[in-house]
Amino acid sequence: MSGFTDPSQHFFWLASRALGIVAMLLVTAAVACGLALSGRLAQRPGASAWLKTAHEALTLTSLGAIAGHGLLLLGDPYLHPGITGITLPFALPTQSIWTGLGIIGAWLAAILGLSYYARRWIGIATWRWLHRWTLLAYVLCLGHSIGSGTDARSVWMLVLLGAVTLPVIVIGGIRLRGVLGGRAASPAAAVRPSAPASQLRAEI
């Protein structure tokens, strides 16, 4: 049959693309939970523990989805990225800029997400400082989602990304306003050297 394309030839590409979208949704949810965890919402009874558990689960799941997104491309018969293409920024000739930003965002997300389990070695203060860069990782991953792929700028994709990004912008704005307002009212209020490490909340 002339012109017939075997769908199986695109299986790895389609699977990678689908998992990449899932990863973006999970990353968005994890960032939203992190922002909520560091705001007033976490002060409600039982909310802090629930948000902390959800944030940790979403972070680990999103990292797994990101890894799967890249690994599936290794089986694509057309792209042939190789290990270098999915791990080194800008090494892949196809859409090198957007793909490179995605790889940087993925590595940054992995380092920041897994740094939670290294707090006792790097110190709470260092971990909190590192964790503030989570939004940068999010922006890089978002840019990769918009710039890469044949359907990256399709209406449904833009609507989907806009819908999931809006809550992050709203929660982040509320959090930023609270931080700036708290500093203006009492610069020393944010310093609690006597608080145990288990009570420190994740700040982004």
Short mmCIF file of all heavy atoms in Angstrom, two decimals, residues 127-182:
data_model
loop_
_atom_site.label_atom_id
_atom_site.label_comp_id
_atom_site.label_asym_id
_atom_site.label_seq_id
_atom_site.Cartn_x
_atom_site.Cartn_y
_atom_site.Cartn_z
N TRP A 127 20.23 23.40 51.91
CA TRP A 127 19.14 22.74 51.21
C TRP A 127 18.03 23.73 50.87
O TRP A 127 17.50 23.72 49.76
CB TRP A 127 18.58 21.61 52.05
CG TRP A 127 17.33 21.03 51.46
CD1 TRP A 127 17.23 20.22 50.38
CD2 TRP A 127 15.99 21.24 51.92
NE1 TRP A 127 15.91 19.92 50.13
CE2 TRP A 127 15.13 20.53 51.06
CE3 TRP A 127 15.44 21.97 52.99
CZ2 TRP A 127 13.75 20.52 51.23
CZ3 TRP A 127 14.07 21.97 53.15
CH2 TRP A 127 13.24 21.25 52.28
N ARG A 128 17.69 24.58 51.82
CA ARG A 128 16.64 25.58 51.58
C ARG A 128 17.06 26.54 50.47
O ARG A 128 16.23 26.95 49.65
CB ARG A 128 16.32 26.32 52.87
CG ARG A 128 15.55 25.47 53.88
CD ARG A 128 15.58 26.13 55.25
NE ARG A 128 14.75 27.33 55.27
CZ ARG A 128 13.45 27.33 55.56
NH1 ARG A 128 12.82 26.18 55.79
NH2 ARG A 128 12.76 28.44 55.60
N TRP A 129 18.33 26.90 50.45
CA TRP A 129 18.81 27.79 49.39
C TRP A 129 18.74 27.10 48.03
O TRP A 129 18.30 27.70 47.05
CB TRP A 129 20.25 28.21 49.68
CG TRP A 129 20.83 29.10 48.61
CD1 TRP A 129 20.69 30.45 48.51
CD2 TRP A 129 21.62 28.70 47.49
NE1 TRP A 129 21.34 30.92 47.39
CE2 TRP A 129 21.92 29.87 46.74
CE3 TRP A 129 22.12 27.48 47.03
CZ2 TRP A 129 22.68 29.84 45.57
CZ3 TRP A 129 22.87 27.45 45.87
CH2 TRP A 129 23.15 28.62 45.15
N LEU A 130 19.13 25.84 47.97
CA LEU A 130 19.05 25.09 46.72
C LEU A 130 17.61 24.95 46.25
O LEU A 130 17.31 25.07 45.07
CB LEU A 130 19.67 23.69 46.92
CG LEU A 130 21.19 23.60 47.01
CD1 LEU A 130 21.61 22.18 47.39
CD2 LEU A 130 21.83 24.00 45.68
N HIS A 131 16.72 24.71 47.20
CA HIS A 131 15.33 24.44 46.87
C HIS A 131 14.65 25.63 46.22
O HIS A 131 13.65 25.48 45.52
CB HIS A 131 14.57 24.01 48.13
CG HIS A 131 13.45 23.05 47.84
ND1 HIS A 131 13.63 21.84 47.25
CD2 HIS A 131 12.10 23.16 48.04
CE1 HIS A 131 12.47 21.22 47.12
NE2 HIS A 131 11.52 22.01 47.58
N ARG A 132 15.18 26.81 46.46
CA ARG A 132 14.59 28.01 45.87
C ARG A 132 14.78 28.05 44.35
O ARG A 132 14.11 28.82 43.67
CB ARG A 132 15.20 29.26 46.51
CG ARG A 132 14.85 29.43 47.97
CD ARG A 132 15.50 30.67 48.56
NE ARG A 132 15.24 30.77 49.98
CZ ARG A 132 14.17 31.34 50.52
NH1 ARG A 132 13.25 31.87 49.73
NH2 ARG A 132 14.01 31.41 51.81
N TRP A 133 15.68 27.24 43.83
CA TRP A 133 15.92 27.21 42.39
C TRP A 133 14.96 26.28 41.67
O TRP A 133 15.06 26.07 40.46
CB TRP A 133 17.37 26.78 42.11
CG TRP A 133 18.37 27.81 42.54
CD1 TRP A 133 19.03 27.84 43.74
CD2 TRP A 133 18.81 28.95 41.80
NE1 TRP A 133 19.85 28.93 43.79
CE2 TRP A 133 19.75 29.63 42.62
CE3 TRP A 133 18.51 29.46 40.54
CZ2 TRP A 133 20.38 30.80 42.20
CZ3 TRP A 133 19.14 30.62 40.13
CH2 TRP A 133 20.05 31.28 40.96
N THR A 134 14.02 25.70 42.41
CA THR A 134 13.06 24.78 41.81
C THR A 134 12.24 25.47 40.72
O THR A 134 11.93 24.86 39.68
CB THR A 134 12.12 24.21 42.87
OG1 THR A 134 12.90 23.50 43.86
CG2 THR A 134 11.12 23.24 42.27
N LEU A 135 11.90 26.73 40.94
CA LEU A 135 11.11 27.45 39.94
C LEU A 135 11.86 27.59 38.62
O LEU A 135 11.26 27.58 37.55
CB LEU A 135 10.71 28.83 40.48
CG LEU A 135 9.56 28.84 41.49
CD1 LEU A 135 9.29 30.26 41.96
CD2 LEU A 135 8.30 28.22 40.90
N LEU A 136 13.20 27.73 38.69
CA LEU A 136 13.99 27.80 37.47
C LEU A 136 13.89 26.49 36.70
O LEU A 136 13.73 26.48 35.47
CB LEU A 136 15.45 28.12 37.79
CG LEU A 136 16.42 28.10 36.60
CD1 LEU A 136 16.00 29.10 35.53
CD2 LEU A 136 17.85 28.37 37.07
N ALA A 137 14.00 25.37 37.42
CA ALA A 137 13.87 24.05 36.78
C ALA A 137 12.50 23.93 36.14
O ALA A 137 12.36 23.39 35.03
CB ALA A 137 14.08 22.95 37.81
N TYR A 138 11.49 24.43 36.83
CA TYR A 138 10.12 24.36 36.29
C TYR A 138 9.99 25.17 35.00
O TYR A 138 9.41 24.70 34.02
CB TYR A 138 9.14 24.87 37.33
CG TYR A 138 7.71 24.90 36.84
CD1 TYR A 138 7.00 23.72 36.68
CD2 TYR A 138 7.08 26.10 36.52
CE1 TYR A 138 5.69 23.73 36.22
CE2 TYR A 138 5.78 26.11 36.06
CZ TYR A 138 5.09 24.94 35.91
OH TYR A 138 3.80 24.95 35.45
N VAL A 139 10.55 26.37 34.99
CA VAL A 139 10.48 27.23 33.81
C VAL A 139 11.21 26.59 32.63
O VAL A 139 10.74 26.62 31.48
CB VAL A 139 11.06 28.62 34.11
CG1 VAL A 139 11.20 29.44 32.83
CG2 VAL A 139 10.17 29.36 35.09
N LEU A 140 12.36 25.97 32.89
CA LEU A 140 13.11 25.30 31.83
C LEU A 140 12.33 24.13 31.25
O LEU A 140 12.28 23.93 30.02
CB LEU A 140 14.47 24.83 32.36
CG LEU A 140 15.48 25.93 32.70
CD1 LEU A 140 16.71 25.32 33.37
CD2 LEU A 140 15.88 26.71 31.45
N CYS A 141 11.73 23.34 32.11
CA CYS A 141 10.91 22.21 31.65
C CYS A 141 9.69 22.69 30.88
O CYS A 141 9.30 22.09 29.87
CB CYS A 141 10.47 21.35 32.84
SG CYS A 141 11.82 20.45 33.65
N LEU A 142 9.11 23.79 31.34
CA LEU A 142 7.95 24.35 30.64
C LEU A 142 8.36 24.84 29.25
O LEU A 142 7.65 24.62 28.26
CB LEU A 142 7.35 25.48 31.46
CG LEU A 142 6.09 26.14 30.90
CD1 LEU A 142 4.95 25.12 30.83
CD2 LEU A 142 5.69 27.33 31.78
N GLY A 143 9.51 25.52 29.17
CA GLY A 143 10.00 25.99 27.87
C GLY A 143 10.27 24.83 26.92
O GLY A 143 9.97 24.92 25.73
N HIS A 144 10.81 23.75 27.47
CA HIS A 144 11.06 22.55 26.65
C HIS A 144 9.75 21.98 26.12
O HIS A 144 9.67 21.58 24.95
CB HIS A 144 11.78 21.51 27.50
CG HIS A 144 11.87 20.16 26.86
ND1 HIS A 144 12.64 19.90 25.75
CD2 HIS A 144 11.27 18.97 27.18
CE1 HIS A 144 12.52 18.63 25.41
NE2 HIS A 144 11.68 18.05 26.26
N SER A 145 8.73 21.95 26.95
CA SER A 145 7.43 21.40 26.54
C SER A 145 6.81 22.24 25.43
O SER A 145 6.18 21.71 24.51
CB SER A 145 6.48 21.34 27.74
OG SER A 145 6.99 20.51 28.76
N ILE A 146 6.98 23.56 25.51
CA ILE A 146 6.39 24.45 24.52
C ILE A 146 7.20 24.45 23.22
O ILE A 146 6.64 24.55 22.13
CB ILE A 146 6.30 25.88 25.08
CG1 ILE A 146 5.34 25.91 26.27
CG2 ILE A 146 5.83 26.86 24.00
CD1 ILE A 146 5.28 27.25 26.97
N GLY A 147 8.52 24.33 23.34
CA GLY A 147 9.37 24.47 22.16
C GLY A 147 9.69 23.19 21.42
O GLY A 147 10.06 23.23 20.24
N SER A 148 9.56 22.03 22.06
CA SER A 148 9.93 20.76 21.43
C SER A 148 8.71 19.95 21.04
O SER A 148 7.67 20.00 21.71
CB SER A 148 10.80 19.93 22.38
OG SER A 148 12.02 20.59 22.64
N GLY A 149 8.84 19.17 19.99
CA GLY A 149 7.77 18.27 19.57
C GLY A 149 6.92 18.85 18.46
O GLY A 149 6.78 20.06 18.32
N THR A 150 6.35 17.98 17.66
CA THR A 150 5.54 18.40 16.52
C THR A 150 4.23 19.04 16.96
O THR A 150 3.62 19.81 16.20
CB THR A 150 5.23 17.19 15.62
OG1 THR A 150 4.63 16.15 16.42
CG2 THR A 150 6.51 16.65 14.99
N ASP A 151 3.76 18.72 18.17
CA ASP A 151 2.51 19.28 18.66
C ASP A 151 2.73 20.31 19.76
O ASP A 151 1.80 20.66 20.49
CB ASP A 151 1.60 18.18 19.18
CG ASP A 151 2.28 17.33 20.26
OD1 ASP A 151 3.48 17.58 20.53
OD2 ASP A 151 1.63 16.44 20.81
N ALA A 152 3.96 20.81 19.89
CA ALA A 152 4.32 21.68 21.00
C ALA A 152 3.48 22.95 21.05
O ALA A 152 3.09 23.39 22.12
CB ALA A 152 5.81 22.04 20.93
N ARG A 153 3.21 23.53 19.88
CA ARG A 153 2.47 24.79 19.85
C ARG A 153 1.04 24.62 19.36
O ARG A 153 0.42 25.59 18.93
CB ARG A 153 3.22 25.80 18.97
CG ARG A 153 4.59 26.18 19.53
CD ARG A 153 5.30 27.18 18.63
NE ARG A 153 6.61 27.55 19.15
CZ ARG A 153 7.72 26.88 18.93
NH1 ARG A 153 7.67 25.79 18.19
NH2 ARG A 153 8.86 27.27 19.43
N SER A 154 0.54 23.41 19.43
CA SER A 154 -0.85 23.18 19.05
C SER A 154 -1.76 23.79 20.12
O SER A 154 -1.35 23.98 21.27
CB SER A 154 -1.14 21.69 18.90
OG SER A 154 -0.86 21.01 20.11
N VAL A 155 -2.99 24.09 19.73
CA VAL A 155 -3.91 24.77 20.64
C VAL A 155 -4.15 23.95 21.90
O VAL A 155 -4.13 24.48 23.03
CB VAL A 155 -5.25 25.06 19.92
CG1 VAL A 155 -6.26 25.64 20.90
CG2 VAL A 155 -5.04 26.00 18.75
N TRP A 156 -4.40 22.65 21.74
CA TRP A 156 -4.70 21.83 22.91
C TRP A 156 -3.53 21.78 23.89
O TRP A 156 -3.73 21.78 25.11
CB TRP A 156 -5.10 20.42 22.48
CG TRP A 156 -3.98 19.57 21.93
CD1 TRP A 156 -3.62 19.45 20.63
CD2 TRP A 156 -3.08 18.75 22.69
NE1 TRP A 156 -2.54 18.60 20.51
CE2 TRP A 156 -2.19 18.16 21.75
CE3 TRP A 156 -2.93 18.46 24.04
CZ2 TRP A 156 -1.17 17.29 22.15
CZ3 TRP A 156 -1.92 17.59 24.44
CH2 TRP A 156 -1.05 17.02 23.50
N MET A 157 -2.30 21.78 23.35
CA MET A 157 -1.13 21.75 24.22
C MET A 157 -0.97 23.06 24.98
O MET A 157 -0.71 23.07 26.19
CB MET A 157 0.13 21.47 23.39
CG MET A 157 1.43 21.54 24.19
SD MET A 157 1.55 20.27 25.47
CE MET A 157 2.18 18.91 24.49
N LEU A 158 -1.13 24.16 24.28
CA LEU A 158 -1.00 25.47 24.92
C LEU A 158 -2.09 25.68 25.98
O LEU A 158 -1.82 26.24 27.04
CB LEU A 158 -1.06 26.58 23.87
CG LEU A 158 0.11 26.60 22.87
CD1 LEU A 158 -0.10 27.70 21.83
CD2 LEU A 158 1.44 26.81 23.60
N VAL A 159 -3.30 25.22 25.67
CA VAL A 159 -4.40 25.34 26.65
C VAL A 159 -4.10 24.49 27.88
O VAL A 159 -4.29 24.92 29.03
CB VAL A 159 -5.74 24.92 26.01
CG1 VAL A 159 -6.82 24.81 27.08
CG2 VAL A 159 -6.15 25.92 24.95
N LEU A 160 -3.61 23.28 27.66
CA LEU A 160 -3.28 22.38 28.76
C LEU A 160 -2.19 22.97 29.64
O LEU A 160 -2.31 23.02 30.87
CB LEU A 160 -2.84 21.02 28.22
CG LEU A 160 -2.38 19.99 29.26
CD1 LEU A 160 -3.52 19.63 30.20
CD2 LEU A 160 -1.86 18.73 28.57
N LEU A 161 -1.10 23.43 29.01
CA LEU A 161 0.01 24.00 29.78
C LEU A 161 -0.42 25.27 30.50
O LEU A 161 0.00 25.52 31.64
CB LEU A 161 1.19 24.28 28.85
CG LEU A 161 1.88 23.05 28.25
CD1 LEU A 161 2.99 23.48 27.29
CD2 LEU A 161 2.46 22.15 29.34
N GLY A 162 -1.25 26.07 29.84
CA GLY A 162 -1.74 27.28 30.49
C GLY A 162 -2.59 26.98 31.70
O GLY A 162 -2.50 27.64 32.74
N ALA A 163 -3.43 25.95 31.58
CA ALA A 163 -4.33 25.58 32.67
C ALA A 163 -3.57 25.08 33.89
O ALA A 163 -3.93 25.39 35.03
CB ALA A 163 -5.32 24.52 32.19
N VAL A 164 -2.51 24.30 33.67
CA VAL A 164 -1.77 23.75 34.81
C VAL A 164 -0.77 24.76 35.37
O VAL A 164 -0.36 24.66 36.53
CB VAL A 164 -1.05 22.44 34.43
CG1 VAL A 164 -2.04 21.39 33.98
CG2 VAL A 164 0.01 22.68 33.35
N THR A 165 -0.35 25.72 34.54
CA THR A 165 0.62 26.70 35.01
C THR A 165 -0.03 27.81 35.82
O THR A 165 0.58 28.37 36.73
CB THR A 165 1.38 27.32 33.82
OG1 THR A 165 1.99 26.27 33.06
CG2 THR A 165 2.46 28.27 34.29
N LEU A 166 -1.27 28.14 35.51
CA LEU A 166 -1.97 29.22 36.20
C LEU A 166 -2.00 29.05 37.72
O LEU A 166 -1.72 30.00 38.45
CB LEU A 166 -3.40 29.35 35.65
CG LEU A 166 -4.24 30.50 36.23
CD1 LEU A 166 -3.56 31.83 35.97
CD2 LEU A 166 -5.65 30.48 35.64
N PRO A 167 -2.32 27.85 38.24
CA PRO A 167 -2.30 27.69 39.70
C PRO A 167 -0.93 27.95 40.31
O PRO A 167 -0.83 28.50 41.42
CB PRO A 167 -2.73 26.22 39.91
CG PRO A 167 -3.49 25.88 38.68
CD PRO A 167 -2.83 26.63 37.57
N VAL A 168 0.14 27.55 39.61
CA VAL A 168 1.49 27.80 40.11
C VAL A 168 1.76 29.30 40.20
O VAL A 168 2.33 29.80 41.17
CB VAL A 168 2.54 27.12 39.20
CG1 VAL A 168 3.95 27.51 39.63
CG2 VAL A 168 2.38 25.61 39.25
N ILE A 169 1.32 30.03 39.17
CA ILE A 169 1.52 31.49 39.17
C ILE A 169 0.73 32.14 40.31
O ILE A 169 1.25 33.01 41.02
CB ILE A 169 1.08 32.08 37.81
CG1 ILE A 169 1.97 31.55 36.69
CG2 ILE A 169 1.12 33.60 37.85
CD1 ILE A 169 1.55 32.00 35.31
N VAL A 170 -0.51 31.69 40.50
CA VAL A 170 -1.34 32.26 41.56
C VAL A 170 -0.76 31.97 42.94
O VAL A 170 -0.61 32.87 43.77
CB VAL A 170 -2.78 31.72 41.44
CG1 VAL A 170 -3.61 32.16 42.65
CG2 VAL A 170 -3.43 32.19 40.15
N ILE A 171 -0.44 30.69 43.19
CA ILE A 171 0.11 30.31 44.50
C ILE A 171 1.46 30.97 44.73
O ILE A 171 1.76 31.44 45.82
CB ILE A 171 0.23 28.78 44.61
CG1 ILE A 171 -1.14 28.12 44.50
CG2 ILE A 171 0.90 28.38 45.93
CD1 ILE A 171 -1.09 26.60 44.47
N GLY A 172 2.28 31.02 43.67
CA GLY A 172 3.58 31.69 43.79
C GLY A 172 3.44 33.16 44.08
O GLY A 172 4.20 33.73 44.87
N GLY A 173 2.45 33.82 43.45
CA GLY A 173 2.21 35.24 43.71
C GLY A 173 1.77 35.48 45.14
O GLY A 173 2.22 36.43 45.80
N ILE A 174 0.88 34.62 45.63
CA ILE A 174 0.42 34.74 47.02
C ILE A 174 1.58 34.53 47.98
O ILE A 174 1.74 35.25 48.98
CB ILE A 174 -0.70 33.73 47.30
CG1 ILE A 174 -1.94 34.07 46.46
CG2 ILE A 174 -1.05 33.71 48.79
CD1 ILE A 174 -3.04 33.03 46.56
N ARG A 175 2.41 33.53 47.68
CA ARG A 175 3.56 33.23 48.53
C ARG A 175 4.55 34.39 48.54
O ARG A 175 5.04 34.79 49.59
CB ARG A 175 4.25 31.95 48.03
CG ARG A 175 5.57 31.62 48.70
CD ARG A 175 5.42 31.50 50.19
NE ARG A 175 6.69 31.25 50.82
CZ ARG A 175 6.95 31.52 52.10
NH1 ARG A 175 6.01 32.05 52.86
NH2 ARG A 175 8.13 31.25 52.61
N LEU A 176 4.82 34.95 47.36
CA LEU A 176 5.75 36.07 47.27
C LEU A 176 5.23 37.28 48.02
O LEU A 176 5.99 37.97 48.71
CB LEU A 176 5.99 36.41 45.80
CG LEU A 176 6.97 37.56 45.52
CD1 LEU A 176 8.34 37.23 46.07
CD2 LEU A 176 7.05 37.85 44.03
N ARG A 177 3.94 37.55 47.88
CA ARG A 177 3.35 38.67 48.59
C ARG A 177 3.45 38.48 50.10
O ARG A 177 3.73 39.42 50.85
CB ARG A 177 1.88 38.85 48.19
CG ARG A 177 1.22 40.07 48.81
CD ARG A 177 -0.20 40.22 48.32
NE ARG A 177 -1.03 39.10 48.75
CZ ARG A 177 -2.34 39.00 48.49
NH1 ARG A 177 -2.94 39.93 47.74
NH2 ARG A 177 -3.03 37.97 48.92
N GLY A 178 3.23 37.23 50.55
CA GLY A 178 3.34 36.95 51.97
C GLY A 178 4.75 37.13 52.49
O GLY A 178 4.97 37.65 53.58
N VAL A 179 5.74 36.68 51.69
CA VAL A 179 7.14 36.81 52.10
C VAL A 179 7.54 38.28 52.17
O VAL A 179 8.15 38.73 53.15
CB VAL A 179 8.06 36.06 51.11
CG1 VAL A 179 9.52 36.40 51.38
CG2 VAL A 179 7.84 34.57 51.23
N LEU A 180 7.19 39.05 51.13
CA LEU A 180 7.54 40.46 51.12
C LEU A 180 6.82 41.22 52.22
O LEU A 180 7.40 42.09 52.88
CB LEU A 180 7.19 41.07 49.76
CG LEU A 180 7.98 40.53 48.56
CD1 LEU A 180 7.51 41.17 47.27
CD2 LEU A 180 9.48 40.78 48.76
N GLY A 181 5.54 40.88 52.46
CA GLY A 181 4.79 41.53 53.53
C GLY A 181 5.34 41.19 54.90
O GLY A 181 5.43 42.05 55.77
N GLY A 182 5.74 39.92 55.09
CA GLY A 182 6.31 39.51 56.37
C GLY A 182 7.64 40.18 56.65
O GLY A 182 7.93 40.59 57.78
#
